[in-house]
Amino acid sequence: MTQTTAHPLPMERKDPLAPPVEYDRLRTEAPVSRLSFPDGSEGWLVSRFADVTSALVNPVFSSERRFNSSAVNTVTLTEEERKNSGFAASFIGMDPPDHTRYRRMLTGGQFTVRRMKSLTPRIEQIVDEHLDAMEAAGPPADLVQQFALPIPSLVICELLGVPYEDRVSFQGRTSTLLRLDRSKEELLDALNGMATYMRGLVADKRRNPDDALISDLITAVPEDGVPLTDEELLGISNLLLVAGHETTANMIGLGTLALLTHPDQWAMVRDNPDTIERAVEEMLRYLSIIQFGLPRIAKADTMLGDQQVKAGESVVLALASANRDAAHFASPEILDVTRDAIRHVGFGYGVHQCLGQQLARMEMRSAFAKLTQRFPNLRLAVPADEVPMRSDMAIYGVHKLPVSW
């Protein structure tokens, strides 16, 4: 049965580690349901695993976005503002063949599995250094500021060639981009600040190249033989910088909270290091940090599940709901770090599946494996219900995670 009356996106969580309970009903009663957007328009909300993955591989559903395809806020940009945003050439919002041009260039030379694996020793060194510093400072500690955030920030800075000392500015602007309550003025200020910064950095790399990724992209030649323009470099670099630290940082913070509130699972990871790969996949499934789903636009009339979606209609694909679908995962409400959960949609699915997923996996495996070994008796320093959750952000997680040992 399809829900014909449009309703806002489910947002209220009864359990901070679970998606809104409304998704449980929608998956059964209205897996493709009418969705009302804050600007008064309507579209569709897709909540079932099979339908979400079907849409993600169907070229009828376009990934093009204009900073106004949000189901949770009304801030929109004009076409001119979007072009000047520094993200206009971001391939995450493109369809093939444009998307394919960038994707092949990056996966063929920059984000190869071999290159990602070569980063393992440095990632482990960075994790060890931050654990050393946390231990030296003594308890209590904020695991977000002292561990979860700096690790992926430093890794992506070194990978791209971004000075790590600039992290305060780009982390602050990223936070503004992801806040649900930011005004248009605040959004434009953050976008313009990131664009100005990255234009300056690209110009510097042209004059003084190094062996990091931005310099590699400057000299790289895509399949069409046309080198990347400054605006293309700007869009790619900003996307990688934002996505490369924000998502992994929140998975480490939120994942630690999940393990600490499920002590049997913490003990399983701590006492059985060989479970770490499965544990990371399970946390990616159980804790879907893209909490409001992925937006798509139908380019033509098509069927999704048992519902006809018309050309031009907006569709939101609820990854968090799909990852809790009992038709695909046994007892999906249970956190089980021994589960074989590899076919989840924590990184999306299809041609737009997260480019940096292998890097994120390596960072998470190292972080959780070493954290549980270094601090086997780690515990929350405040009651679990006092941990500030990122319900006000597009990327879910914890704002702070006070811990002791």
Side-chain angles (χ1 to χ4, degrees), residues 190-242:
L191 289 170
N192 292 334
M194 293 193 71
T196 299
Y197 172 79
M198 194 57 72
R199 285 192 183 97
L201 187 61
V202 168
D204 180 67
K205 298 295 183 184
R206 287 192 182 278
R207 295 188 299 267
N208 305 293
D210 53 27
D211 58 357
L213 198 147
I214 292 177
S215 290
D216 287 351
L217 290 174
I218 289 171
T219 58
V221 180
E223 290 181 351
D224 59 8
V226 180
L228 297 176
T229 65
D230 279 359
E231 287 305 302
E232 289 175 312
L233 290 164
L234 182 64
I236 293 172
S237 301
N238 269 335
L239 172 63
L240 296 178
L241 180 61
V242 172

Side-chain angles (χ1 to χ4, degrees), residues 65-119:
R65 53 188 71 180
R66 295 288 185 269
F67 283 99
N68 59 356
S69 55
S70 171
V72 292
N73 66 65
T74 57
V75 174
T76 61
L77 299 183
T78 66
E79 186 64 17
E80 187 66 23
E81 288 168 339
R82 188 187 72 84
K83 287 181 179 179
N84 295 330
S85 69
F87 286 83
S90 176
F91 60 92
I92 194 174
M94 296 179 181
D95 297 325
D98 293 332
H99 171 266
T100 308
R101 175 176 181 260
Y102 298 109
R103 183 87 182 196
R104 284 180 177 170
M105 180 181 62
L106 289 164
T107 57
Q110 311 301 330
F111 279 83
T112 62
V113 174
R114 177 178 296 180
R115 181 166 186 172
M116 292 301 100
K117 286 185 177 179
S118 71
L119 298 174

Side-chain angles (χ1 to χ4, degrees), residues 372-395:
T372 54
Q373 293 300 307
R374 180 70 71 91
F375 299 107
N377 298 313
L378 193 75
R379 64 185 185 277
L380 291 176
V382 298
D385 60 5
E386 293 182 12
V387 174
M389 308 303 298
R390 287 169 54 103
S391 302
D392 58 338
M393 308 291 281
I395 303 296

Side-chain angles (χ1 to χ4, degrees), residues 98-156:
D98 293 332
H99 171 266
T100 308
R101 175 176 181 260
Y102 298 109
R103 183 87 182 196
R104 284 180 177 170
M105 180 181 62
L106 289 164
T107 57
Q110 311 301 330
F111 279 83
T112 62
V113 174
R114 177 178 296 180
R115 181 166 186 172
M116 292 301 100
K117 286 185 177 179
S118 71
L119 298 174
T120 299
R122 178 56 180 149
I123 291 172
E124 293 185 344
Q125 180 185 9
I126 290 171
V127 171
D128 283 334
E129 288 172 352
H130 284 82
L131 288 172
D132 289 344
M134 197 167 81
E135 186 173 31
D142 176 7
L143 195 86
V144 171
Q145 290 300 320
Q146 294 175 246
F147 187 70
L149 181 58
I151 290 170
S153 295
L154 182 52
V155 171
I156 197 63

Side-chain angles (χ1 to χ4, degrees), residues 139-188:
D142 176 7
L143 195 86
V144 171
Q145 290 300 320
Q146 294 175 246
F147 187 70
L149 181 58
I151 290 170
S153 295
L154 182 52
V155 171
I156 197 63
C157 280
E158 292 188 358
L159 182 63
L160 291 175
V162 173
Y164 185 59
E165 56 268 24
D166 296 340
R167 65 191 181 279
V168 174
S169 61
F170 74 69
Q171 287 172 354
R173 288 171 179 143
T174 297
S175 179
T176 298
L177 297 184
L178 296 175
R179 271 179 33 222
L180 302 184
D181 64 349
R182 78 279 197 275
S183 65
K184 183 173 182 176
E185 291 71 26
E186 289 173 322
L187 174 61
L188 286 173

